[in-house]
């Protein structure tokens, strides 16, 4: 009951904040922070965090932090407030509204959840660096995933540094322009705009540095129908599921006789894959593709990735097994 009450209070607070967000007065905010004296920085961090939870625009507070505290201290204070707010929103989604939102997740929100399930903290860093999803919404969406909170907080804090610094510099530049310090306004304004431009260009840069696999690449792709048919007929090739043990034994299950070697362990020691043909499986196919690249680089000659992973396998209605991993399972152990 208390959980639903807290969720209702939060929803009401967000709705009320949305109605008055156009009345956000930066002069009043500045006066309130300065009125706290030595505690002004702490007060600003708490206000910034609360605003993040309540879906107020973080850019406004980012500019205000730079104007109030300067380009360096403002960056630090903004980063503390934004990270604290992102963490609180993450915890709210995970412990208060996670089940409700997860059942209704779709579109871009579902893409965020699937991306984190596949890539972990790397996807969190990408979401922060390339803000395809609004910052405040991303905080709640990421709370629906199973990423450990420590990885989430660290990836969030580090990846927010460029954007946070840019807004602090722009805020300081605005204050310099109002006070007549044109040199500082120009210098910090150009720095802030340059960083924001670099962030905006980042998605195109990432696409350019991703090169297609060279011709004759030993890594290949297979689909669920082809894999199920060859397994039913021969019991081979060896199937390696590169998800974590909790996912492998979780509700989605795994392919019968699949070995469970998490992607980090397989990348660290590709010899665990053995010498025969292998098919790599994960939730979708991102982690398994990364593991396949490591095996190919180590000289493995017959590697395939199951396109769509266990999501495609279960969507096709194919049988799954639930239970403890079969570490080191081989094709000989598979049913024929």
């Amino acid at each position: 009951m208390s959980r639903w009450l807290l969720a209702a209070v939060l929803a009401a607070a967000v709705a009320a904040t949305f109605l008055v967000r156009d009345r956000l007065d930066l002069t009043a905010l500045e006066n309130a922070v300065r009125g706290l004296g030595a505690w002004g920085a702490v007060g600003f961090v708490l206000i910034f965090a609360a605003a993040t939870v309540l879906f107020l625009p973080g850019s406004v507070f980012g500019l205000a932090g730079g104007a109030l505290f300067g380009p360096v201290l403002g960056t630090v204070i903004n980063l503390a407030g934004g990270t604290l707010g992102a963490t609180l929103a993450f915890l709210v989604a995970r412990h208060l509204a996670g089940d409700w939102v997860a059942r209704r997740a779709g579109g871009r929100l579902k893409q965020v959840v699937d991306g984190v399930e596949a890539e972990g903290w790397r996807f969190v860093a990408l979401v922060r660096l390339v803000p395809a999803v609004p910052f405040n919404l991303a905080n709640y969406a990421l709370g629906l995933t199973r990423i450990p909170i420590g990885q989430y907080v660290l990836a969030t804090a580090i990846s927010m540094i460029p954007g946070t610094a840019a807004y602090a510099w722009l805020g300081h530049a605005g204050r310099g322009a109002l006070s007549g310090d044109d040199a500082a306004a120009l210098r910090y304004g150009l720095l802030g705009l340059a960083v924001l431009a670099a962030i905006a260009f980042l998605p195109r840069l990432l696409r350019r540095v991703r090169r297609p696999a060279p011709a004759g690449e030993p890594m290949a792709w297979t689909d669920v129908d082809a894999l199920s048919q060859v397994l039913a007929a021969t019991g081979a090739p060896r199937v390696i599921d590169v998800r974590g043990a909790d996912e492998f034994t979780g509700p989605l299950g795994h392919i019968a006789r699949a070995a469970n070697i998490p992607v980090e362990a397989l990348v660290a020691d590709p010899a665990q894959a053995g010498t025969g043909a292998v098919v790599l499986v994960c939730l979708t196919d991102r982690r398994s593709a990364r593991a396949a690249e490591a095996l190919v680089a180590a000289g493995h000659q017959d590697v395939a990735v199951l396109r769509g992973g266990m999501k495609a396998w279960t969507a096709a209605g194919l049988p799954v097994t639930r239970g403890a991993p079969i570490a080191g399972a081989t094709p000989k152990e598979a049913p024929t």
Side-chain angles (χ1 to χ4, degrees):
M1 184 65 181
S2 58
R3 176 181 173 181
W4 289 107
L5 180 59
L6 287 173
V9 170
L10 177 64
V14 171
T17 303
F18 183 81
L19 292 175
V20 301
R21 63 187 300 169
D22 292 337
R23 304 176 189 174
L24 186 61
D25 189 340
L26 292 181
T27 301
L29 173 63
E30 179 178 355
N31 292 336
V33 171
R34 294 195 184 283
L36 294 174
W39 292 94
V42 175
F44 185 83
V45 167
L46 296 178
I47 293 172
F48 196 154
T52 300
V53 174
L54 296 176
F55 285 89
L56 284 173
S59 57
V60 173
F61 289 87
L63 294 171
L68 287 169
F69 302 104
V72 178
L73 182 58
T75 297
V76 174
I77 291 173
N78 284 346
L79 186 63
T83 303
L84 177 60
T87 303
L88 293 175
F90 175 92
L91 293 173
V92 167
R94 175 162 289 186
H95 297 293
L96 289 183
D99 295 339
W100 183 88
V101 177
R103 287 195 299 269
R104 292 159 176 79
R108 186 165 291 180
L109 180 59
K110 188 175 185 300
Q111 291 176 6
V112 171
V113 175
D114 290 346
V116 175
E117 294 293 340
E119 296 290 342
W121 65 266
R122 297 174 186 82
F123 194 86
V124 176
L126 182 63
V127 167
R128 299 309 189 191
L129 286 171
V130 185
V133 179
F135 176 74
N136 294 334
L137 178 60
N139 298 329
Y140 284 93
L142 292 167
L144 303 179
T145 69
R146 292 183 293 181
I147 186 172
I149 187 170
Q151 292 184 17
Y152 167 81
V153 173
L154 187 60
T156 293
I158 294 175
S159 303
M160 283 172 52
I161 291 174
T164 301
Y167 278 108
W169 291 340
L170 287 173
H172 183 67
R175 173 53 57 90
L178 290 175
S179 63
D181 189 351
D182 294 336
L186 180 61
R187 180 170 65 253
Y188 287 108
L190 290 176
L191 281 172
L193 291 174
V195 173
L196 291 179
I199 293 172
F201 183 74
L202 187 58
R204 182 178 299 178
L205 178 63
L206 291 175
R207 286 195 295 270
R208 286 186 176 181
V209 299
R210 294 182 64 183
R211 295 284 185 258
E217 179 72 75
M219 184 181 75
W221 293 83
T222 187
D223 58 39
V224 294
D225 291 333
L227 180 59
S228 64
Q229 290 172 13
V230 72
L231 288 177
T234 67
R238 185 185 189 200
V239 177
I240 300 177
D241 194 314
V242 300
R243 294 176 294 166
D246 59 331
E247 295 177 83
F248 185 81
T249 59
L252 201 61
H254 56 269
I255 298 172
R257 292 295 181 183
N260 180 219
I261 308 176
V263 60
E264 292 81 6
L266 195 57
V267 169
D269 184 11
Q272 295 183 77
T275 57
V278 296
V279 175
L280 302 177
V281 182
C282 64
L283 181 68
T284 54
D285 51 41
R286 296 187 182 183
R287 282 175 286 180
S288 46
R290 182 159 65 92
E293 291 174 357
L295 294 186
V296 168
H300 205 294
Q301 295 300 309
D302 197 348
V303 184
V305 174
L306 179 62
R307 192 180 301 278
M310 285 305 299
K311 286 199 169 184
W313 184 273
T314 54
L318 295 169
V320 298
T321 298
R322 294 176 178 85
I326 306 174
T330 66
K332 294 180 180 179
E333 295 174 304
T336 58

